[in-house]
Amino acid sequence: MTMVLEKLNVKKIIVSGVLLMSMLMGINAFAAMDKYSTAKLNFASKAIGDNVNIWDGKAKVTAKNDTAGSEPTFSATIKKSVTLLPDPTTWNKNMFSRGSFSSTVSISEASTYYAQASTLSPLGMGNVQVQSLDTSW
C-alpha cells in the first residue's frame, strides 16, 4: 500500500479534486441564475435586483411607480454587472408621475445585468423587473 501511495502523488490528486469540484460548483451556480431581476422600492429611494443573464440581445422591462408626494419622479434602469464600480447604465427610462409601463428593449452586449429602481423621494414605492428573453434556456 505504501508503494502505491508513493507512486500516486496524493497532493496532486487532492488539489485536482478540489479544483474540479470548484469548477463544477461555479458552472452550476452560473447556469442556475434566474430569468428575472426585480428591484422593489418599499419606502426607499433606491433598490437593485438580482443578476440575470441576457445573451440573446433582448429583455422585457416592466415598471410600476407608486411613489406619492411632491416628487414622484421614478427611474427604471438596467445596469451591467461588472466588477469595477460604478456599473454602467445600459438602459434607462424616467417616469414623471405615478403609473406603469412595459417594453421590450435591445441589449447590445451579451452579459450579466440587473434591474435598478430609484426615485427622488425617500419614501419611494414601486418596482422594476427585467426579464431575459433568451430562448437558449
Side-chain angles (χ1 to χ4, degrees):
M1 185 72 171
T2 307
M3 286 178 54
V4 172
L5 288 177
E6 287 176 12
K7 289 185 179 185
L8 296 175
N9 191 337
V10 177
K11 287 182 183 179
K12 285 185 180 179
I13 292 173
I14 291 173
V15 169
S16 297
V18 169
L19 289 174
L20 179 63
M21 290 302 294
S22 298
M23 186 180 76
L24 291 174
M25 289 172 57
I27 289 170
N28 189 30
F30 187 69
M33 204 173 285
D34 202 0
K35 290 184 75 158
Y36 297 93
S37 175
T38 304
K40 294 181 182 180
L41 282 178
N42 190 16
F43 297 107
S45 60
K46 183 178 172 184
I48 61 172
D50 293 331
N51 287 341
V52 61
N53 291 326
I54 301 175
W55 292 333
D56 289 350
K58 289 192 179 187
K60 181 177 180 182
V61 181
T62 306
K64 184 175 182 185
N65 179 12
D66 289 327
T67 303
S70 61
E71 296 182 3
T73 302
F74 182 88
S75 180
T77 307
I78 299 175
K79 290 202 166 197
K80 184 176 179 182
S81 182
V82 294
T83 55
L84 301 175
L85 296 177
D87 292 339
T89 298
T90 302
W91 182 88
N92 184 63
K93 180 172 180 164
N94 291 321
M95 300 172 66
F96 298 103
S97 61
R98 296 176 75 172
S100 62
F101 76 89
S102 181
S103 179
T104 300
V105 299
S106 294
I107 304 294
S108 62
E109 186 179 351
S111 190
T112 303
Y113 296 87
Y114 63 89
Q116 177 177 304
S118 56
T119 182
L120 297 175
S121 171
L123 302 175
M125 293 289 291
N127 64 61
V128 176
Q129 184 177 67
V130 176
Q131 176 186 357
S132 172
L133 298 179
D134 293 344
T135 58
S136 59
W137 293 51

